Amino acid sequence: MIQFILWYITITLLGLLTFPLGYRLFPALADRGYSLSRALGLLLWGFLFWLLVSFHVIRNEVGGLLFTLALLAALSLWALWGRDDEAGSTEDPGLAIRWAELLAWIKANLRVIISVEALFLVAFAAWAFIRANNPDTTGTEKPMEIAFINAILHSPVFPPHDPWLSGYAISYYYFGYVLAAMLGMITATNGGMTFNLMLSLVFALSVIGSYGLLYNLLAAFYVTSSADSSESSSPGFSSVSRLTSVLQPLLAPLFLVMMGNLEGFLELLRAYGFGWANASSNFWLWLNMKDLSDVPTAPFAWNPRFWFWWRASRILHDYDLRGTYFEIIDEFPFFSYLLGDLHPHVLAMPFGLLAVALALNLYLGGWRGVTDIFGFKIPVRRQGLVLMAVVLGGLAFLNTWDFPVYLAIVSGALILNLVHSPSETTSSRARGWDWDLVEYFLKFSIPLALASVVLYLPFYVGFSSQAGGILPNVIFPTRGAYLWIMFGTLLVPIFLLLVWMVGKHGAEWKKGFLITTGFVLLLWAFSIVLGIFAAQTDIGRSFVTSQGLTSTREVLSAATLRRLQFGAGLLTIMLLIGSGLSYLLPVSYHPQTENESHIVPVPGPIPFVMMFIVFGGLLVLAPEFVYLRDQFGWRMNTVFKFYYQAWAIWSLAAAFGFVVIIREVRGFKSGLFSIVITLVLLAGLIYPALSLPNKTDNFNLNTPERRTIDGAAYLGTYNPDDYLAIQWLTLARPGTVAEAVGGSYTEFARVSTYSGQPSVLGWPGHESQWRGGSTEMNGRSEDLAKLYTTSNWIETQTILKRYDIRYVYLGPLERSTYAVDDRKFSANLSEAYNQGQVVIYEVP
């Protein structure tokens, strides 16, 4: 409880410290960035701290944290006491004037401030309580993640040491774990507690970040549909009640982090025997989903099977031409938080929302101006460019998969702003689409991408990856049924929004669908050509044989028939992209009152939301034809990463569409649309309602003493000797540890994971993924086996020196893994620790 309060106070003060900076840097947003000030503050603080530690200006300790926090405070002071040169101002307004302006805004917008604060506290406390009922950092990827946190806490400089490969630095996008370790260090929180509090914090930051984004979108929407919006203290909300203005944005976090896919609904139908008669069912057999299509057992009742909630992340089923099943990961946010993995795609979520806020601010006219960089005239003010480079570069460091997506969103927002801005020759109409926009796009996106990389260059210097190019997806089309089970809760309000817009907003249907069809055919042709070239390699020829066929032509023919047979998924995606493009292509311009001299009016948020729909569709479309080559060997990881981002983007569009439909639709359609959306919402909420008590053992109501926020506490219960020894090792002098080596997702590597000390080798499979091969760890597993089993002290000494080992850990797992000969240790090394079944020998 004390650590939770410390974290809450720390992150809240950080948000308040950063808000003056956000207030100045988000001039076009109705909430001036208040809902995202915590995420902005944490990212800027983390960037300054990581950069200075990486260049050895400061050390990874509390003093360095306080120093960089002072730098962040100086930036906020600059925001309150500096002139806007690029906006045309020649005088410094002074601190008093800026402060008075800020206080006036706070007084006028107190309602939204209180809403954000209350929502953050509730979300942070609620998920911390859920984690306290299911805190263990064991299983799946949790050991890796807490290993990174503990390694960073025990690394005096950056890059931090790799906990599972001594002598090397972490080769992974580890920025999120730096942010977690920073908060753990400043609040004196151990690694186990830091893990669960960081997961709860990321959840809460995502809740208020999405809330703020929908608030800003709706403010822009209402200002275009209300004649007297300028009289409202909450910009744009004069046409709705005060209560409505703060309640409607709650739909964004509902769709983003609380909504499930439709697997829970199907699970319930199956449990109660829906569609089953005489142990057969045409529907379930047609659905053909692993486990879910199995015959239920009578009597029919809800009796959740072991890990039933896991199946919601395995909706897509890929079968090759021989019917062999290939697992596909298709996580969504609620599942991720329920699972409890603090993986990069989860850690990046609030900062992805921050990038969307940058895009929205840009689209609504913020930062308009000209910045000259080496002769390039970039149509954005300098401070906006710097902020975007820091945030987008941070996203690449947090989760590299996010970087191209959010770079495209930010660049698209600028292009949309230019399209809908006044023409250079006349202010009576919009500029519209022209080929000059390509030049603007390149002049903006290329320098921004380069700056984003340069700012985080120390990370890239030591980074290696398993990525190995692009491969074609020829034989795995996504069935429409699977796509709708996965995204149906989002697609229904999005499609209803598109239907409502028919006749109310201009649409270039012919152009939109011609472009979409042409692009899909181009992708399809590209995948076929890529497949033909790949078939000439040994791997390609082996693939043809594995399908029971003799030639590439036969494979392509069978694959084409399959794609046509399961074409509903592709048609759904094309309908979304085509509709979104059709509404993006027309341009209209409605002059509005400008609140600030450097904000250019735009017609409202509809084009911005259409861009989201299109980008989400492109993310889902891409793995239909291509995927990133990695060690998994099929499209599993590409679908995982792209679908996850599509959910985040579409959830905002779905929430916006829900509000617009409820507000704008009248008559018979109003009742019909409301019923449809309500039913879909209820179906989507079945999964959270069923899975939460199942995952938390009914919130441990019968065993409340088991509640703890410490993710490492389970070791004290199930393996107390290891737990006490690791506690001792955590406080011992830094040094490499020798421990037993085993496979991924097992109890191996537990010493380095929880102590923060580097081991000679942890999970070999993960190291191979991070480094794109096994070169760096060749021979280590064999050397460790020899270290424990040999009776020859000379051989032992050679291995100890080779890896600069300080501690030899000898516990139950080492004894059960190797035929340990410990006489050489006791004869030549001193016992630094000896209690229970664990002995730790220290090398002089």
Side-chain angles (χ1 to χ4, degrees), residues 269 335 429 439 464 467 473 481 491 613 617 687 748 770:
L269 291 182
F335 172 87
R429 59 185 177 86
E439 181 182 354
S464 58
N473 170 30
L491 292 180
I613 294 173
Y687 177 78
F748 288 97
W770 300 337

Side-chain angles (χ1 to χ4, degrees), residues 91-165:
E91 295 183 2
D92 188 338
L95 181 61
I97 294 176
R98 289 275 195 188
W99 184 248
E101 177 188 333
L102 182 63
L103 289 178
W105 183 91
I106 292 173
K107 183 178 179 181
N109 293 271
L110 200 57
R111 186 168 65 254
V112 70
I113 292 173
I114 294 173
S115 299
V116 168
E117 291 302 314
L119 186 60
F120 175 77
L121 177 57
V122 169
F124 190 24
W127 211 263
F129 177 74
I130 289 170
R131 289 306 304 159
N133 286 281
N134 182 35
D136 299 353
T137 51
T138 182
T140 60
E141 303 290 351
K142 299 182 191 70
M144 165 204 143
E145 295 146 5
I146 195 171
F148 280 176
I149 291 173
N150 283 322
I152 293 168
L153 286 170
H154 287 80
S155 295
V157 295
F158 291 159
H161 66 254
D162 188 328
W164 291 347
L165 195 70

Side-chain angles (χ1 to χ4, degrees), residues 295-313:
V295 181
T297 305
F300 299 132
W302 174 244
N303 184 22
R305 293 178 287 175
F306 180 68
W307 272 37
F308 90 89
W309 49 271
W310 177 266
R311 280 186 288 278
S313 69

Side-chain angles (χ1 to χ4, degrees), residues 387-654:
L387 181 61
M388 285 186 283
V390 172
V391 172
L392 291 174
L395 269 174
F397 193 1
L398 279 154
N399 185 36
T400 306
W401 290 82
D402 284 357
F403 176 65
V405 176
Y406 289 102
L407 175 64
I409 288 175
V410 169
S411 301
L414 173 67
I415 298 304
L416 282 179
N417 177 272
L418 293 172
V419 166
H420 293 278
S421 295
S423 170
E424 295 176 0
T425 57
T426 173
S427 61
S428 61
R429 59 185 177 86
R431 172 197 184 101
W433 296 92
D434 57 51
W435 287 106
D436 289 343
L437 294 172
V438 176
E439 181 182 354
Y440 278 112
F441 175 82
L442 295 176
K443 284 184 176 180
F444 173 74
S445 59
I446 293 176
L448 179 57
L450 291 174
S452 301
V453 171
V454 169
L455 287 175
Y456 293 86
L457 197 57
F459 159 63
Y460 294 99
V461 170
F463 179 66
S464 58
S465 171
Q466 63 173 314
I470 301 294
L471 288 176
N473 170 30
V474 178
I475 65 170
F476 295 125
T478 301
R479 287 182 58 186
Y482 298 157
L483 189 71
W484 278 90
I485 293 170
M486 178 66 195
F487 289 113
T489 51
L490 307 180
L491 292 180
V492 168
I494 288 175
F495 272 116
L496 289 179
L497 173 66
L498 294 171
V499 170
W500 167 78
M501 289 177 61
V502 174
K504 295 179 177 59
H505 293 261
E508 294 278 359
W509 297 107
K510 186 176 180 179
K511 283 184 181 179
F513 280 98
L514 277 176
I515 293 173
T516 302
T517 304
F519 183 69
V520 169
L521 290 175
L522 187 64
L523 261 181
W524 194 347
F526 175 73
S527 71
I528 290 174
V529 172
L530 203 59
I532 292 172
F533 278 105
Q536 310 308 311
T537 65
D538 291 339
I539 295 177
R541 285 188 286 269
S542 175
F543 173 78
V544 171
T545 304
S546 72
Q547 301 307 302
L549 301 172
T550 58
S551 69
T552 305
R553 177 180 294 180
E554 289 180 338
V555 171
L556 292 176
S557 177
T560 301
L561 289 175
R562 169 178 282 199
R563 195 173 289 280
L564 294 175
Q565 179 186 0
F566 298 127
L570 184 58
L571 286 175
T572 298
I573 301 169
M574 291 177 65
L575 188 59
L576 269 178
I577 297 174
S579 300
L581 279 177
S582 299
Y583 287 122
L584 274 176
L585 293 174
V587 177
S588 59
Y589 174 71
H590 307 285
Q592 301 170 16
T593 303
E594 298 183 14
N595 297 322
E596 297 191 33
S597 60
H598 55 283
I599 298 180
V600 179
V602 292
I606 293 293
F608 190 81
V609 174
M610 292 300 107
M611 179 182 72
F612 265 31
I613 294 173
V614 171
F615 278 178
L618 292 175
L619 285 168
V620 176
L621 175 67
E624 291 299 297
F625 298 103
V626 293
Y627 63 93
L628 191 69
R629 181 181 181 182
D630 52 31
Q631 291 189 358
F632 298 105
W634 63 96
R635 67 172 186 152
M636 176 180 71
N637 208 38
T638 301
V639 169
F640 170 26
K641 302 296 186 180
F642 280 14
Y643 274 38
Y644 204 83
Q645 295 173 44
W647 185 289
I649 293 171
W650 275 348
S651 69
L652 294 172

Side-chain angles (χ1 to χ4, degrees), residues 190-272:
N190 66 37
M193 292 185 181
T194 295
F195 180 97
N196 284 314
L197 286 172
M198 187 64 181
L199 184 65
S200 305
L201 176 63
V202 169
F203 176 83
L205 291 177
S206 300
V207 166
I208 60 171
S210 58
Y211 176 91
L213 281 171
L214 186 54
Y215 177 88
N216 290 314
L217 282 169
L218 292 176
F221 176 74
Y222 287 132
V223 82
T224 61
S225 59
S226 175
D228 57 350
S229 61
S230 59
E231 299 175 5
S232 173
S233 60
S234 295
F237 282 108
S238 62
S239 58
V240 298
S241 69
R242 292 183 176 183
L243 186 61
T244 300
S245 69
V246 295
L247 288 181
Q248 286 178 343
L250 288 172
L251 286 166
L254 176 68
F255 278 100
L256 176 63
V257 297
M258 290 305 299
M259 187 67 68
N261 58 30
L262 294 175
E263 194 277 341
F265 175 64
L266 292 175
E267 192 81 39
L268 205 60
L269 291 182
R270 178 196 171 278
Y272 284 98

